[in-house]
Amino acid sequence: MPLQRPKGTQDHLPDGSPKLSRDIQASAFAHVQDVARRVLERSGASFIATPLFEEAELVKRGVGGSTDIVRKEMFTVYYFGDHGGYVLRPEGTASIVRAYLQNGLKQLPAPLKLWTHGPMFRAENVQKLRLRQFHQVDYEVLGSTDPLVDAEAIWLMWEVVRELGLTGVRVKLGSIGDPEDRERYNAYLRGLFGAHADRLSDDSKDRLERNPMRILDSKSAGDQALLAELGVKPMLDFLGEDARAHFGAVQAYLREWGVPFDLDPSIVRGLDYYRRTAWELHHEGIGAKSALGGGGRYDGLAEQLGGAAVPGIGWAFGIERVLGALEAEGVAFAQVDGPLLYLAAMDEANVGLAARLALAGRSHGRVEFAYRAMKPGSVFREADRRRARHAAVIGSDEAARGVLNIKNLGTGETREVPVADLNAFLDDLSQQARGTREQA
Ligand code: HAM
């Protein structure tokens, strides 16, 4: 058997590949990125890209030392020498805030909207749609605490998945308050769990020390049973006045704009930087445990990274999960178009002519050519395999007269086109193809 890819990674494959599912279809990935770009850039967001690896310290301080991501799921990169280690980025937010601080982006008009897409890495237990390398679309807004910014962020996430054609999506919305509110909540949880510490999993005993709220997010069945038994009050009951008013305003905007959401009073999120608004996007088709996406406000993160205070909010969704949801809903998707024209020569003497015409035609549309002389029957078979719309076989007669007999592979009609008119012919085909795509 040839060498295989690492567990928890996927190859993104061309259309027509055997066993292609939506979440590994390269053209489907590109489609999601294109739709996200369209929706986010028309809202004023600019594209940003950051390195795939970062100082481990950034992720520890950003994502937080009590999270599963930092404790169990980091891919550390060692190279010769004894640098303390880089890590492959598990998410995009800490990196974008670092880039904002490091590059003086505060100079740009605020609030600054940024977006990116790309691979993220977490050493997770691999399951369907739970990968070690996965891909996110990520949107961040820096420089405002206004609840209108929170509501717009949620609306935009909703708008991207809606524009992709998904319908079975729900927003689960909560607030995890200000740091003081969380302190009060954590004190309550310490009191509650303290008496039952012996029943907690080892991980949760540790969480009880560092950040008791993380216990609510535990994957251990024993911990979850204890939680149910104790009837833990939700974070929402502990919100202070400011956080409560902020949360109320976010909900009012969402209602006004018709974004359906369910209140989730006990939302936790798997990262430590959140405060106030936090939400997840769920889809019935891919299982209750796998969120399509999630986000929240992170006003203290910039300071946590050693910078000046800059409030922020954002979200990310997993592209594989969105594609899985689209597949579950059976949403149809245009494949990448085949060539407008496939050109081949009947004898070796004219292969160069076919190539020259194809190269010249390419600024007018997608044109492919055969690298060897072929019999007409094989040319049409090959053109079909490539999903070409038209095909032309150049024989010595066509070459001498400077014409092409172009066959429409859909209708079977053949038309003689002078070589000098080929580019205009391709322009017409491109325009028709664009028209069909827009109608679809
Ligand atoms: P997150 O909830 O950790 O948030 O990840 C966001 C989304 O990435 C998830 O809802 C899921 O769709 C996808 N995802 C996460 N882990 C995996 C995995 N192992 N396999 C497949 N998909 C996965 C964040 O990453 C935050 N940075 C979001 C954010 C941006 N908050 C504020 N700004």
Side-chain angles (χ1 to χ4, degrees):
M1 196 161 52
L3 292 174
Q4 306 286 298
R5 65 179 171 265
K7 193 173 165 197
T9 65
Q10 292 181 321
D11 300 311
H12 298 166
L13 303 175
D15 289 355
S17 304
K19 298 188 194 157
L20 190 65
S21 65
R22 187 61 71 71
D23 59 304
I24 56 169
Q25 186 182 348
S27 62
F29 262 75
H31 175 68
V32 173
Q33 288 155 2
D34 288 347
V35 170
R37 177 184 303 277
R38 192 164 68 222
V39 173
L40 297 176
E41 293 190 351
R42 75 189 178 205
S43 89
S46 305
F47 191 75
I48 184 166
T50 60
L52 297 195
F53 61 92
E54 290 277 3
E55 294 285 350
E57 187 62 18
L58 175 82
V59 177
K60 284 186 193 153
R61 281 213 241 161
V63 172
S66 71
T67 59
D68 279 357
I69 296 179
V70 167
R71 287 160 50 90
K72 301 182 188 164
E73 297 169 359
M74 300 244 270
F75 277 109
T76 306
V77 182
Y78 295 105
Y79 58 98
F80 57 89
D82 57 0
H83 178 274
Y86 295 119
V87 293
L88 298 184
R89 63 179 188 190
E91 58 103 47
T93 311
S95 301
I96 289 179
V97 174
R98 176 201 52 68
Y100 177 94
L101 296 168
Q102 183 166 3
N103 299 296
L105 300 191
K106 203 177 170 146
Q107 309 282 337
L108 299 178
L112 180 64
K113 297 174 175 177
L114 300 167
W115 83 282
T116 193
H117 61 75
M120 307 292 163
F121 307 86
R122 299 183 191 175
E124 305 222 40
N125 286 327
V126 176
Q127 294 164 19
K128 185 167 165 52
L129 300 179
R130 183 169 296 281
L131 297 158
R132 293 187 173 164
Q133 175 176 330
F134 58 96
H135 298 75
Q136 285 183 343
V137 165
D138 183 303
Y139 167 80
E140 312 287 353
V141 190
L142 291 146
S144 171
T145 56
D146 195 320
L148 185 49
V149 171
D150 303 42
E152 186 192 24
I154 298 169
W155 180 82
L156 277 170
M157 190 181 201
W158 178 255
E159 184 74 355
V160 174
V161 295
R162 218 175 39 173
E163 194 135 328
L164 280 164
L166 278 180
T167 53
V169 217
R170 295 297 298 183
V171 177
K172 287 191 184 173
L173 179 67
S175 170
I176 47 186
D178 285 315
E180 316 80 80
D181 307 337
R182 257 161 95 163
E183 261 323 301
R184 277 189 287 128
Y185 190 50
N186 273 335
Y188 157 76
L189 292 176
R190 275 200 190 93
L192 190 68
F193 291 127
H196 305 276
D198 52 321
R199 289 177 57 195
L200 288 171
S201 65
D202 286 345
D203 275 347
S204 286
K205 285 191 184 106
D206 189 59
R207 293 179 181 124
L208 190 58
E209 295 281 309
R210 294 162 176 259
N211 186 358
M213 230 177 121
R214 284 261 145 263
I215 298 175
L216 307 185
D217 204 23
S218 167
K219 291 178 187 116
S220 138
D223 289 348
Q224 285 303 332
L226 182 62
L227 283 171
E229 193 183 310
L230 293 178
V232 183
K233 288 192 210 163
M235 176 67 229
L236 222 45
D237 290 0
F238 287 75
L239 293 194
E241 227 170 273
D242 291 351
R244 190 172 296 279
H246 190 272
F247 189 45
V250 175
Q251 294 175 65
Y253 286 122
L254 292 178
R255 284 201 191 93
E256 196 180 318
W257 303 338
V259 178
F261 63 88
D262 301 317
L263 272 192
D264 182 348
S266 51
I267 198 157
V268 181
R269 305 281 297 124
L271 306 102
D272 278 351
Y273 47 61
Y274 291 115
R275 60 175 68 171
R276 297 199 172 187
T277 318
W279 73 94
E280 282 177 354
L281 196 67
H282 285 265
H283 185 267
E284 58 214 11
I286 61 164
K289 283 213 168 138
S290 324
L292 276 190
R297 181 163 275 291
Y298 48 81
D299 296 343
L301 177 57
E303 285 159 290
Q304 191 70 28
L305 302 181
V310 183
I313 181 168
W315 52 256
F317 63 71
I319 300 183
E320 290 81 359
R321 292 194 187 170
V322 165
L323 291 171
L326 285 164
E327 185 154 15
E329 284 193 16
V331 176
F333 241 65
Q335 294 200 330
V336 173
D337 291 337
L340 293 175
L341 177 64
Y342 184 68
L343 271 175
M346 272 165 72
D347 26 53
E348 290 301 330
N350 288 321
V351 170
L353 173 63
R356 185 164 56 73
L357 294 177
L359 300 190
R362 281 178 184 168
S363 45
H364 303 263
R366 179 167 163 183
V367 186
E368 295 180 21
F369 64 92
Y371 294 84
R372 288 194 341 248
M374 286 165 88
K375 293 204 170 67
S378 330
V379 173
F380 295 122
R381 260 199 310 281
E382 190 57 28
D384 264 343
R385 261 169 50 89
R386 291 165 190 269
R387 295 186 296 114
R389 293 180 177 227
H390 295 78
V393 193
I394 306 176
S396 45
D397 173 53
E398 282 91 354
R401 290 174 48 225
V403 296
L404 294 170
N405 282 308
I406 298 181
K407 180 170 174 182
N408 179 326
L409 299 172
T411 63
E413 283 165 50
T414 300
R415 208 174 121 182
E416 188 177 281
V417 176
V419 162
D421 296 344
L422 177 61
N423 291 348
F425 176 80
L426 289 169
D427 282 339
D428 283 351
L429 292 184
S430 294
Q431 217 159 17
Q432 281 167 26
R434 259 199 306 277
T436 325
R437 262 202 309 277
E438 272 154 24
Q439 267 171 20

